[in-house]
Short mmCIF file of all heavy atoms in Angstrom, two decimals:
data_model
loop_
_atom_site.label_atom_id
_atom_site.label_comp_id
_atom_site.label_asym_id
_atom_site.label_seq_id
_atom_site.Cartn_x
_atom_site.Cartn_y
_atom_site.Cartn_z
N SER A 1 0.83 -1.22 0.00
CA SER A 1 0.00 0.00 0.00
C SER A 1 0.86 1.25 0.00
O SER A 1 0.54 2.23 -0.68
CB SER A 1 -0.92 -0.01 1.23
OG SER A 1 -1.74 -1.16 1.23
N ARG A 2 1.96 1.24 0.75
CA ARG A 2 2.82 2.42 0.83
C ARG A 2 3.47 2.74 -0.52
O ARG A 2 3.63 3.89 -0.88
CB ARG A 2 3.90 2.18 1.90
CG ARG A 2 4.81 3.39 2.14
CD ARG A 2 5.70 3.20 3.35
NE ARG A 2 6.52 2.00 3.26
CZ ARG A 2 6.29 0.86 3.93
NH1 ARG A 2 5.24 0.78 4.76
NH2 ARG A 2 7.08 -0.18 3.79
N ASN A 3 3.83 1.72 -1.27
CA ASN A 3 4.45 1.92 -2.59
C ASN A 3 3.43 2.01 -3.72
O ASN A 3 3.81 2.11 -4.88
CB ASN A 3 5.42 0.78 -2.88
CG ASN A 3 6.66 0.83 -2.02
OD1 ASN A 3 7.57 1.62 -2.24
ND2 ASN A 3 6.71 -0.02 -0.98
N LYS A 4 2.13 1.97 -3.39
CA LYS A 4 1.06 2.09 -4.38
C LYS A 4 1.21 1.04 -5.48
O LYS A 4 1.22 1.36 -6.68
CB LYS A 4 1.03 3.50 -4.98
CG LYS A 4 0.75 4.58 -3.95
CD LYS A 4 0.71 5.96 -4.60
CE LYS A 4 0.43 7.04 -3.56
NZ LYS A 4 0.38 8.40 -4.17
N LEU A 5 1.35 -0.21 -5.05
CA LEU A 5 1.51 -1.31 -5.98
C LEU A 5 0.21 -2.08 -6.12
O LEU A 5 -0.67 -2.02 -5.25
CB LEU A 5 2.62 -2.26 -5.50
CG LEU A 5 3.99 -1.64 -5.21
CD1 LEU A 5 4.95 -2.70 -4.72
CD2 LEU A 5 4.54 -0.95 -6.44
N CYS A 6 0.09 -2.79 -7.22
CA CYS A 6 -1.07 -3.67 -7.43
C CYS A 6 -0.94 -4.85 -6.48
O CYS A 6 0.09 -5.51 -6.42
CB CYS A 6 -1.11 -4.13 -8.89
SG CYS A 6 -2.35 -5.40 -9.22
N ARG A 7 -2.00 -5.15 -5.74
CA ARG A 7 -1.96 -6.26 -4.78
C ARG A 7 -1.94 -7.61 -5.48
O ARG A 7 -1.67 -8.63 -4.83
CB ARG A 7 -3.18 -6.19 -3.85
CG ARG A 7 -3.14 -5.04 -2.85
CD ARG A 7 -4.40 -5.00 -2.02
NE ARG A 7 -4.72 -6.30 -1.45
CZ ARG A 7 -4.15 -6.82 -0.36
NH1 ARG A 7 -3.25 -6.09 0.29
NH2 ARG A 7 -4.49 -8.01 0.09
N ASN A 8 -2.17 -7.64 -6.80
CA ASN A 8 -2.22 -8.92 -7.49
C ASN A 8 -0.88 -9.31 -8.12
O ASN A 8 -0.46 -10.45 -8.05
CB ASN A 8 -3.30 -8.89 -8.58
CG ASN A 8 -3.55 -10.25 -9.19
OD1 ASN A 8 -3.75 -11.23 -8.47
ND2 ASN A 8 -3.52 -10.33 -10.50
N CYS A 9 -0.19 -8.32 -8.73
CA CYS A 9 1.09 -8.61 -9.39
C CYS A 9 2.27 -7.87 -8.78
O CYS A 9 3.40 -8.03 -9.22
CB CYS A 9 1.00 -8.28 -10.89
SG CYS A 9 0.77 -6.52 -11.22
N LEU A 10 1.99 -7.00 -7.77
CA LEU A 10 3.03 -6.24 -7.06
C LEU A 10 3.81 -5.33 -8.00
O LEU A 10 5.01 -5.12 -7.85
CB LEU A 10 3.99 -7.19 -6.33
CG LEU A 10 3.35 -8.14 -5.31
CD1 LEU A 10 4.41 -8.92 -4.59
CD2 LEU A 10 2.47 -7.38 -4.33
N LYS A 11 3.12 -4.76 -8.99
CA LYS A 11 3.72 -3.79 -9.90
C LYS A 11 2.90 -2.51 -9.88
O LYS A 11 1.69 -2.56 -9.68
CB LYS A 11 3.79 -4.34 -11.34
CG LYS A 11 4.69 -5.57 -11.48
CD LYS A 11 4.68 -6.07 -12.91
CE LYS A 11 5.55 -7.31 -13.06
NZ LYS A 11 5.54 -7.83 -14.44
N PRO A 12 3.53 -1.36 -10.09
CA PRO A 12 2.79 -0.09 -10.06
C PRO A 12 2.08 0.17 -11.38
O PRO A 12 2.34 -0.48 -12.39
CB PRO A 12 3.89 0.94 -9.82
CG PRO A 12 5.10 0.35 -10.46
CD PRO A 12 4.99 -1.15 -10.26
N GLY A 13 1.18 1.13 -11.36
CA GLY A 13 0.57 1.60 -12.60
C GLY A 13 -0.87 1.18 -12.79
O GLY A 13 -1.53 1.66 -13.71
N HIS A 14 -1.43 0.30 -11.97
CA HIS A 14 -2.82 -0.13 -12.12
C HIS A 14 -3.30 -0.74 -10.81
O HIS A 14 -2.52 -0.94 -9.88
CB HIS A 14 -2.96 -1.12 -13.28
CG HIS A 14 -2.15 -2.36 -13.12
ND1 HIS A 14 -0.81 -2.40 -13.45
CD2 HIS A 14 -2.46 -3.59 -12.62
CE1 HIS A 14 -0.33 -3.61 -13.18
NE2 HIS A 14 -1.31 -4.35 -12.68
N ASN A 15 -4.58 -1.06 -10.77
CA ASN A 15 -5.14 -1.67 -9.57
C ASN A 15 -5.49 -3.13 -9.84
O ASN A 15 -5.50 -3.57 -10.99
CB ASN A 15 -6.39 -0.89 -9.12
CG ASN A 15 -7.40 -0.73 -10.25
OD1 ASN A 15 -7.60 -1.65 -11.03
ND2 ASN A 15 -8.03 0.43 -10.33
N PRO A 16 -5.78 -3.91 -8.81
CA PRO A 16 -6.05 -5.35 -9.02
C PRO A 16 -7.22 -5.62 -9.96
O PRO A 16 -7.24 -6.61 -10.66
CB PRO A 16 -6.32 -5.85 -7.60
CG PRO A 16 -5.62 -4.89 -6.70
CD PRO A 16 -5.73 -3.56 -7.37
N ARG A 17 -8.23 -4.73 -9.97
CA ARG A 17 -9.39 -4.97 -10.82
C ARG A 17 -9.03 -4.95 -12.30
O ARG A 17 -9.59 -5.68 -13.10
CB ARG A 17 -10.46 -3.93 -10.53
CG ARG A 17 -11.75 -4.13 -11.30
CD ARG A 17 -12.78 -3.11 -10.90
NE ARG A 17 -13.11 -3.23 -9.48
CZ ARG A 17 -13.95 -2.41 -8.85
NH1 ARG A 17 -14.53 -1.41 -9.51
NH2 ARG A 17 -14.21 -2.58 -7.57
N MET A 18 -8.03 -4.10 -12.66
CA MET A 18 -7.61 -4.00 -14.05
C MET A 18 -6.42 -4.90 -14.36
O MET A 18 -5.94 -4.93 -15.49
CB MET A 18 -7.21 -2.55 -14.36
CG MET A 18 -8.31 -1.54 -14.12
SD MET A 18 -9.71 -1.80 -15.22
CE MET A 18 -8.93 -1.46 -16.79
N CYS A 19 -5.91 -5.65 -13.37
CA CYS A 19 -4.72 -6.45 -13.57
C CYS A 19 -5.04 -7.69 -14.40
O CYS A 19 -6.07 -8.36 -14.18
CB CYS A 19 -4.13 -6.86 -12.22
SG CYS A 19 -2.57 -7.76 -12.38
N GLU A 20 -4.17 -8.01 -15.33
CA GLU A 20 -4.33 -9.17 -16.18
C GLU A 20 -3.48 -10.35 -15.71
O GLU A 20 -3.35 -11.35 -16.40
CB GLU A 20 -3.97 -8.83 -17.63
CG GLU A 20 -4.91 -7.82 -18.26
CD GLU A 20 -4.56 -7.56 -19.71
OE1 GLU A 20 -3.51 -8.06 -20.15
OE2 GLU A 20 -5.34 -6.86 -20.40
N GLY A 21 -2.85 -10.22 -14.56
CA GLY A 21 -2.05 -11.30 -14.03
C GLY A 21 -2.90 -12.44 -13.48
O GLY A 21 -4.15 -12.41 -13.52
N GLY A 22 -2.24 -13.44 -12.95
CA GLY A 22 -2.95 -14.57 -12.42
C GLY A 22 -3.58 -14.27 -11.06
O GLY A 22 -3.69 -13.11 -10.65
N THR A 23 -4.00 -15.30 -10.36
CA THR A 23 -4.62 -15.15 -9.05
C THR A 23 -3.79 -15.87 -8.01
O THR A 23 -2.77 -16.49 -8.30
CB THR A 23 -6.05 -15.70 -9.08
OG1 THR A 23 -5.99 -17.08 -9.50
CG2 THR A 23 -6.92 -14.93 -10.07
N CYS A 24 -4.24 -15.80 -6.78
CA CYS A 24 -3.54 -16.45 -5.68
C CYS A 24 -3.53 -17.96 -5.87
O CYS A 24 -4.55 -18.56 -6.24
CB CYS A 24 -4.20 -16.07 -4.35
SG CYS A 24 -3.49 -16.89 -2.91
N HIS A 25 -2.38 -18.60 -5.61
CA HIS A 25 -2.27 -20.04 -5.78
C HIS A 25 -3.03 -20.81 -4.70
O HIS A 25 -3.33 -21.99 -4.87
CB HIS A 25 -0.79 -20.46 -5.74
CG HIS A 25 0.01 -19.87 -6.84
ND1 HIS A 25 -0.43 -19.80 -8.14
CD2 HIS A 25 1.25 -19.28 -6.84
CE1 HIS A 25 0.48 -19.21 -8.89
NE2 HIS A 25 1.52 -18.87 -8.13
N HIS A 26 -3.37 -20.13 -3.59
CA HIS A 26 -4.01 -20.81 -2.47
C HIS A 26 -5.53 -20.73 -2.55
O HIS A 26 -6.21 -21.75 -2.37
CB HIS A 26 -3.52 -20.20 -1.14
CG HIS A 26 -2.03 -20.19 -1.02
ND1 HIS A 26 -1.27 -21.33 -0.85
CD2 HIS A 26 -1.14 -19.15 -1.06
CE1 HIS A 26 0.01 -21.01 -0.77
NE2 HIS A 26 0.12 -19.68 -0.92
N CYS A 27 -6.04 -19.51 -2.82
CA CYS A 27 -7.51 -19.34 -2.80
C CYS A 27 -8.06 -18.82 -4.12
O CYS A 27 -9.26 -18.62 -4.25
CB CYS A 27 -7.90 -18.38 -1.68
SG CYS A 27 -7.20 -16.71 -1.89
N HIS A 28 -7.21 -18.58 -5.09
CA HIS A 28 -7.61 -18.12 -6.42
C HIS A 28 -8.36 -16.78 -6.38
O HIS A 28 -9.23 -16.53 -7.19
CB HIS A 28 -8.49 -19.18 -7.11
CG HIS A 28 -7.82 -20.51 -7.23
ND1 HIS A 28 -6.75 -20.75 -8.05
CD2 HIS A 28 -8.07 -21.69 -6.57
CE1 HIS A 28 -6.36 -22.01 -7.93
NE2 HIS A 28 -7.14 -22.61 -7.03
N GLN A 29 -8.02 -15.94 -5.41
CA GLN A 29 -8.58 -14.60 -5.35
C GLN A 29 -7.61 -13.62 -5.99
O GLN A 29 -6.46 -13.96 -6.29
CB GLN A 29 -8.85 -14.22 -3.88
CG GLN A 29 -9.85 -15.12 -3.19
CD GLN A 29 -11.23 -15.10 -3.86
OE1 GLN A 29 -11.71 -14.03 -4.23
NE2 GLN A 29 -11.84 -16.26 -3.99
N LYS A 30 -8.07 -12.36 -6.18
CA LYS A 30 -7.27 -11.34 -6.84
C LYS A 30 -6.29 -10.71 -5.85
O LYS A 30 -6.42 -9.54 -5.46
CB LYS A 30 -8.18 -10.26 -7.46
CG LYS A 30 -8.68 -10.59 -8.84
CD LYS A 30 -7.57 -10.47 -9.86
CE LYS A 30 -8.08 -10.66 -11.28
NZ LYS A 30 -7.04 -10.45 -12.28
N HIS A 31 -5.31 -11.45 -5.41
CA HIS A 31 -4.20 -10.93 -4.63
C HIS A 31 -3.01 -11.86 -4.83
O HIS A 31 -3.15 -13.00 -5.24
CB HIS A 31 -4.55 -10.77 -3.15
CG HIS A 31 -4.94 -12.06 -2.49
ND1 HIS A 31 -6.26 -12.40 -2.23
CD2 HIS A 31 -4.19 -13.12 -2.05
CE1 HIS A 31 -6.30 -13.60 -1.66
NE2 HIS A 31 -5.07 -14.05 -1.55
N HIS A 32 -1.84 -11.33 -4.54
CA HIS A 32 -0.61 -12.09 -4.75
C HIS A 32 -0.52 -13.23 -3.74
O HIS A 32 -1.01 -13.13 -2.60
CB HIS A 32 0.60 -11.15 -4.61
CG HIS A 32 1.85 -11.70 -5.22
ND1 HIS A 32 2.71 -12.53 -4.55
CD2 HIS A 32 2.38 -11.53 -6.47
CE1 HIS A 32 3.71 -12.85 -5.33
NE2 HIS A 32 3.54 -12.25 -6.51
N SER A 33 0.12 -14.33 -4.14
CA SER A 33 0.23 -15.49 -3.25
C SER A 33 1.01 -15.15 -1.99
O SER A 33 0.75 -15.74 -0.93
CB SER A 33 0.93 -16.64 -4.00
OG SER A 33 0.20 -16.99 -5.15
N MET A 34 1.97 -14.19 -2.08
CA MET A 34 2.76 -13.84 -0.90
C MET A 34 1.99 -12.92 0.04
O MET A 34 2.48 -12.60 1.12
CB MET A 34 4.06 -13.17 -1.34
CG MET A 34 4.97 -14.07 -2.16
SD MET A 34 6.58 -13.34 -2.52
CE MET A 34 7.36 -13.45 -0.90
N LEU A 35 0.79 -12.48 -0.37
CA LEU A 35 -0.07 -11.69 0.51
C LEU A 35 -1.22 -12.51 1.06
O LEU A 35 -2.09 -11.97 1.74
CB LEU A 35 -0.62 -10.47 -0.25
CG LEU A 35 0.41 -9.51 -0.85
CD1 LEU A 35 -0.31 -8.37 -1.58
CD2 LEU A 35 1.33 -8.95 0.22
N HIS A 36 -1.23 -13.80 0.79
CA HIS A 36 -2.33 -14.65 1.23
C HIS A 36 -2.25 -14.91 2.72
O HIS A 36 -1.18 -15.16 3.28
CB HIS A 36 -2.31 -15.98 0.47
CG HIS A 36 -3.36 -16.95 0.95
ND1 HIS A 36 -4.68 -16.83 0.62
CD2 HIS A 36 -3.25 -18.05 1.77
CE1 HIS A 36 -5.35 -17.81 1.19
NE2 HIS A 36 -4.51 -18.57 1.89
N ASN A 37 -3.39 -14.85 3.35
CA ASN A 37 -3.52 -15.14 4.78
C ASN A 37 -4.59 -16.20 4.95
O ASN A 37 -5.70 -16.08 4.41
CB ASN A 37 -3.88 -13.86 5.54
CG ASN A 37 -3.78 -14.05 7.04
OD1 ASN A 37 -3.63 -15.17 7.53
ND2 ASN A 37 -3.87 -12.95 7.78
N ASP A 38 -4.30 -17.25 5.73
CA ASP A 38 -5.27 -18.33 5.92
C ASP A 38 -6.53 -17.86 6.62
O ASP A 38 -7.58 -18.52 6.55
CB ASP A 38 -4.64 -19.47 6.73
CG ASP A 38 -3.53 -20.15 5.96
OD1 ASP A 38 -3.57 -20.08 4.71
OD2 ASP A 38 -2.62 -20.73 6.59
N GLN A 39 -6.46 -16.72 7.29
CA GLN A 39 -7.63 -16.22 8.00
C GLN A 39 -8.50 -15.31 7.14
O GLN A 39 -9.46 -14.74 7.63
CB GLN A 39 -7.18 -15.44 9.25
CG GLN A 39 -6.41 -16.31 10.24
CD GLN A 39 -5.95 -15.51 11.44
OE1 GLN A 39 -6.14 -14.30 11.47
NE2 GLN A 39 -5.37 -16.20 12.40
N MET A 40 -8.10 -15.18 5.87
CA MET A 40 -8.87 -14.27 5.00
C MET A 40 -10.31 -14.73 4.84
O MET A 40 -11.24 -13.94 4.86
CB MET A 40 -8.20 -14.15 3.63
CG MET A 40 -6.97 -13.25 3.64
SD MET A 40 -6.30 -13.01 2.01
CE MET A 40 -5.03 -11.80 2.37
N ARG A 41 -10.54 -16.05 4.66
CA ARG A 41 -11.90 -16.54 4.48
C ARG A 41 -12.73 -16.37 5.75
O ARG A 41 -13.88 -15.96 5.72
CB ARG A 41 -11.88 -18.00 4.06
CG ARG A 41 -11.37 -18.22 2.65
CD ARG A 41 -11.46 -19.68 2.28
NE ARG A 41 -11.02 -19.89 0.91
CZ ARG A 41 -11.80 -19.83 -0.16
NH1 ARG A 41 -13.09 -19.55 0.00
NH2 ARG A 41 -11.34 -20.01 -1.37
N SER A 42 -12.12 -16.72 6.91
CA SER A 42 -12.86 -16.65 8.16
C SER A 42 -13.11 -15.22 8.60
O SER A 42 -13.97 -14.96 9.43
CB SER A 42 -12.10 -17.39 9.26
OG SER A 42 -10.82 -16.83 9.44
N SER A 43 -12.32 -14.30 8.08
CA SER A 43 -12.49 -12.90 8.47
C SER A 43 -13.69 -12.26 7.81
O SER A 43 -14.08 -11.16 8.17
CB SER A 43 -11.23 -12.10 8.11
OG SER A 43 -11.04 -12.10 6.71
N VAL A 44 -14.33 -12.94 6.85
CA VAL A 44 -15.50 -12.39 6.21
C VAL A 44 -16.68 -12.45 7.16
O VAL A 44 -16.93 -13.49 7.79
CB VAL A 44 -15.83 -13.16 4.92
CG1 VAL A 44 -17.06 -12.59 4.25
CG2 VAL A 44 -14.63 -13.09 3.99
N PRO A 45 -17.44 -11.43 7.41
CA PRO A 45 -18.59 -11.45 8.35
C PRO A 45 -19.57 -12.53 7.94
O PRO A 45 -19.90 -12.70 6.77
CB PRO A 45 -19.18 -10.04 8.22
CG PRO A 45 -18.07 -9.21 7.68
CD PRO A 45 -17.25 -10.11 6.83
N GLN A 46 -20.03 -13.28 8.94
CA GLN A 46 -20.96 -14.36 8.67
C GLN A 46 -22.31 -13.83 8.24
O GLN A 46 -23.09 -14.52 7.60
CB GLN A 46 -21.14 -15.23 9.95
CG GLN A 46 -19.85 -15.92 10.37
CD GLN A 46 -19.41 -16.93 9.34
OE1 GLN A 46 -20.23 -17.50 8.65
NE2 GLN A 46 -18.11 -17.13 9.23
#
């Protein structure tokens, strides 16, 4: 966030919604695999 990088490919110049890169290898969501947290699913309000 501090470097204003895309959370999906970790490159500047665009946002994850416009990113054409792949998805997370763990949950297949629009974020980089190195930003994946196992608590991401449980953190969603029931």
Side-chain angles (χ1 to χ4, degrees):
S1 301
R2 184 170 56 256
N3 290 283
K4 298 181 180 180
L5 307 179
C6 172
R7 289 177 50 80
N8 189 50
C9 65
L10 303 185
K11 296 178 181 179
H14 60 277
N15 53 39
R17 183 177 299 177
M18 302 296 295
C19 184
E20 295 183 352
T23 57
C24 176
H25 298 317
H26 306 290
C27 62
H28 303 291
Q29 299 299 317
K30 275 287 186 176
H31 60 258
H32 199 274
S33 301
M34 297 186 73
L35 302 179
H36 175 77
N37 190 350
D38 293 336
Q39 299 179 355
M40 284 185 174
R41 289 183 178 271
S42 59
S43 63
V44 180
Q46 297 295 330

